[in-house]
Amino acid sequence: MCPILSRENYFLTVINEANQHEVKRGSLEQGMREVLLELAESVRSNEAISDNLLHRVNHIFEQYQAVRLKVSLVSKIEDLFSDEDKVERTSQQILLHTEFVDEPDQLKRKYMEAIISLLEAIEKNTFNLQTCIHCGDWYIPYQRAKVAKFCSSNCRNRHHYIHRKIETQASL
Ligand SMILES: [Zn+2]
């Protein structure tokens, strides 16, 4: 049993808002932001993650113990089928999981969850990461769209609109 530690693809949210965060030079948060961006960059450029980068991630994990173990009771409704009727029975189960020590709005927690969610995505499968050529946001392109350049149809339309405008002005 290996619990999932983070919200799926949470790193995209954090990377795309990272330039609005105020982080102090030399702070833990700054180190976490760098590590997060370098991990994302290595996925985007399809490069192996260096020993040095892994070492820095582990160093951050040592400095900031962000998750703790927790055990909870969950009730599970079981459907028991017999020949004549359906019987519902509630049974109790324990669930061993983890939770973050800090609140979700804390910057270091945000970066930690982002780093973990990116590592979980890397661990799980190979996936693509790209940056939109219009707005610069990071996104995961759909599997089928091999040559996707935009994070959304909005950006694609906007990009083509601006280019048409520039071409029209150039021909005047
Ligand atoms: Zn975009």
Side-chain angles (χ1 to χ4, degrees):
M1 191 196 63
C2 186
I4 293 165
L5 303 171
S6 65
R7 284 168 279 182
E8 195 176 16
N9 296 336
Y10 179 64
F11 62 90
L12 284 177
T13 311
V14 177
I15 291 177
N16 287 334
E17 65 178 34
N19 55 2
Q20 295 154 31
H21 299 157
E22 281 186 32
V23 294
K24 286 202 193 87
R25 262 180 159 277
S27 63
L28 175 67
E29 286 84 352
Q30 195 198 24
M32 293 169 97
R33 179 158 80 180
E34 280 174 14
V35 155
L36 176 65
L37 288 169
E38 282 179 45
L39 279 172
E41 190 51 54
S42 65
V43 176
R44 180 172 75 155
S45 55
N46 226 344
E47 276 167 18
I49 295 161
S50 69
D51 286 348
N52 175 279
L53 183 52
L54 283 188
H55 180 78
R56 283 158 59 208
V57 175
N58 279 324
H59 188 60
I60 286 166
F61 287 163
E62 274 170 33
Q63 284 177 286
Y64 174 32
Q65 316 260 326
V67 288
R68 64 176 158 232
L69 277 173
K70 193 168 183 183
V71 63
S72 303
L73 275 177
V74 286
S75 42
K76 192 177 115 187
I77 295 169
E78 283 178 301
D79 289 334
L80 302 173
F81 290 95
S82 63
D83 285 343
E84 286 96 28
D85 55 354
K86 205 175 95 174
V87 187
E88 267 191 3
R89 195 180 72 179
T90 309
S91 68
Q92 266 189 332
Q93 268 197 329
I94 64 158
L95 181 70
L96 185 60
H97 60 109
T98 56
E99 67 175 12
F100 282 90
V101 175
D102 292 311
E103 293 302 311
D105 59 337
Q106 279 205 30
L107 203 51
K108 64 176 179 177
R109 146 80 194 262
K110 279 188 182 196
Y111 282 127
M112 181 56 86
E113 189 172 359
I115 291 168
I116 292 173
S117 76
L118 182 50
L119 290 172
E120 286 186 319
I122 296 170
E123 184 188 53
K124 207 159 49 176
N125 54 10
T126 51
F127 69 109
N128 281 319
L129 256 184
Q130 287 180 18
T131 43
C132 177
I133 64 167
H134 183 67
C135 71
D137 271 5
W138 291 76
Y139 67 101
I140 300 172
Y142 292 112
Q143 287 296 308
R144 277 172 294 162
K146 287 242 163 17
V147 288
K149 293 175 191 159
F150 303 98
C151 69
S152 62
S153 52
N154 265 355
C155 275
R156 189 183 55 227
N157 293 339
R158 188 85 199 128
H159 189 80
H160 290 321
Y161 172 75
I162 289 168
H163 271 253
R164 267 198 306 275
K165 223 169 145 180
I166 292 167
E167 278 164 28
T168 321
Q169 279 167 354
S171 65
L172 285 175

